[in-house]
Amino acid sequence: MKQPTFFLSHGGGPWPWMDGDFRQAHAQLEASLQAVPASLPALPKAILMISAHWEAPAFTVMTSARPGMLYDYGGFPPHTYEVVYPAPGDPALAERVVGLIEAAGLPAARDATRGFDHGAFCTLAPMYPEAQVPVVQLSLRSGLDPAEHLALGRALAPLRDQGVLILGSGFSFHNLALMFNGRGQAPSVAFDAWLQTALPAAEGRAERLMAWERAPAARLAHAREEHLLPLMVAAGAAEGDAASCNYHQADYLGGLTASSFRFG
């Protein structure tokens, strides 16, 4: 059955393996991720994960049958550098992804050694804690061109009819300089309000996303847009479908507004 696509705000560091206030700050996000599987038409045959934490000169596909782990964060407790998300890879799906990218005239590459980064495993662990669904990770392309990432999504769209769940993992607000000092509250509210109006209707959405830098507080919300580009892929893969907000929080980490969206 045809799967929807998602743009997911993935939270901070290894939060699913934390306790106390930091874990509690992610309670709403965790509940929204836990709710995703029941909202799908069927158990995905595989997941294609586009994470904000992987950029490469070409769109690069993880090809390992048994991906490892990449602990791409710092300053967290020692046990968070030992967590494992043991989902299998899917080399056959990886080859289909490479073929679709190349057929669209976009550059593609393979990586047999890359492990899951926290943009991937911190969203997947609440969704599928048993890690039973195969996962293939796909990079962003250096240069972070919105048009290229929308085109990537369009190229990947046929996978939805093959039971593949396409997940873009980033964050609706990502400016570390403003995140923890209260200065991010107003720009996160302003940019989130734009997302809430720009995304639901399919008509004209690609054009609105192409012009995202003209949105209110755009460059304050995303000083660098790597955490927004997974949204372009999810939207491109569901270009004709309406979108809805499946997670919205106005007090993330003490005052930031954050959201996730489902397409289709």
Side-chain angles (χ1 to χ4, degrees):
M1 297 181 69
K2 187 172 187 176
Q3 294 285 356
T5 74
F6 286 83
F7 170 65
L8 301 173
S9 288
H10 61 229
W15 64 265
W17 290 271
M18 299 282 285
D19 295 313
D21 291 343
F22 190 70
R23 176 66 177 270
Q24 185 57 35
H26 293 83
Q28 287 180 243
L29 175 59
E30 184 169 22
S32 73
L33 293 169
Q34 291 171 335
V36 167
S39 77
L40 302 178
L43 181 71
K45 293 182 179 177
I47 291 170
L48 180 62
M49 168 65 73
I50 301 94
S51 167
H53 291 274
W54 187 12
E55 299 173 36
F59 291 117
T60 303
V61 186
M62 175 191 291
T63 61
S64 172
R66 293 288 172 188
M69 300 290 287
L70 178 60
Y71 305 113
D72 55 337
Y73 41 71
F76 289 94
H79 76 271
T80 64
Y81 299 88
E82 299 176 358
V83 301
V84 175
Y85 187 73
D90 189 334
L93 172 59
E95 289 303 315
R96 291 207 302 277
V97 170
V98 169
L100 289 170
I101 295 171
E102 291 179 337
L106 297 168
R110 299 167 178 84
D111 189 324
T113 63
R114 170 106 181 171
F116 295 131
D117 62 52
H118 83 271
F121 63 77
C122 287
T123 51
L124 293 170
M127 291 173 59
Y128 293 104
E130 297 178 0
Q132 74 271 39
V133 180
V135 179
V136 170
Q137 219 180 308
L138 170 62
S139 78
L140 302 176
R141 188 182 183 200
S142 305
L144 305 180
D145 181 1
E148 282 193 337
H149 289 78
L150 283 162
L152 172 66
R154 294 184 193 109
L156 300 173
L159 296 174
R160 297 174 58 199
D161 291 309
Q162 300 167 21
V164 176
L165 179 63
I166 298 173
L167 300 178
S169 175
F171 213 92
S172 60
F173 174 89
H174 193 264
N175 184 338
L176 294 179
L178 305 182
M179 214 163 222
F180 303 105
N181 53 21
R183 293 165 54 207
Q185 181 173 9
S188 72
V189 169
F191 190 72
D192 191 271
W194 177 79
L195 289 173
Q196 300 292 343
T197 60
L199 297 183
E203 184 175 357
R205 183 168 57 216
E207 290 76 16
R208 293 189 291 274
L209 287 174
M210 288 278 291
W212 76 271
E213 288 182 273
R214 297 203 294 268
R219 278 299 178 186
L220 290 174
H222 292 278
R224 189 174 185 274
E225 57 265 44
E226 82 286 346
H227 274 69
L228 188 66
L229 267 292
L231 166 62
M232 310 298 179
V233 185
E239 194 161 43
D241 293 338
S244 58
C245 180
N246 70 305
Y247 159 70
H248 179 76
Q249 183 171 356
D251 61 349
Y252 176 71
L253 292 181
L256 299 175
T257 296
S259 294
S260 299
F261 295 88
R262 171 183 172 135
F263 298 84

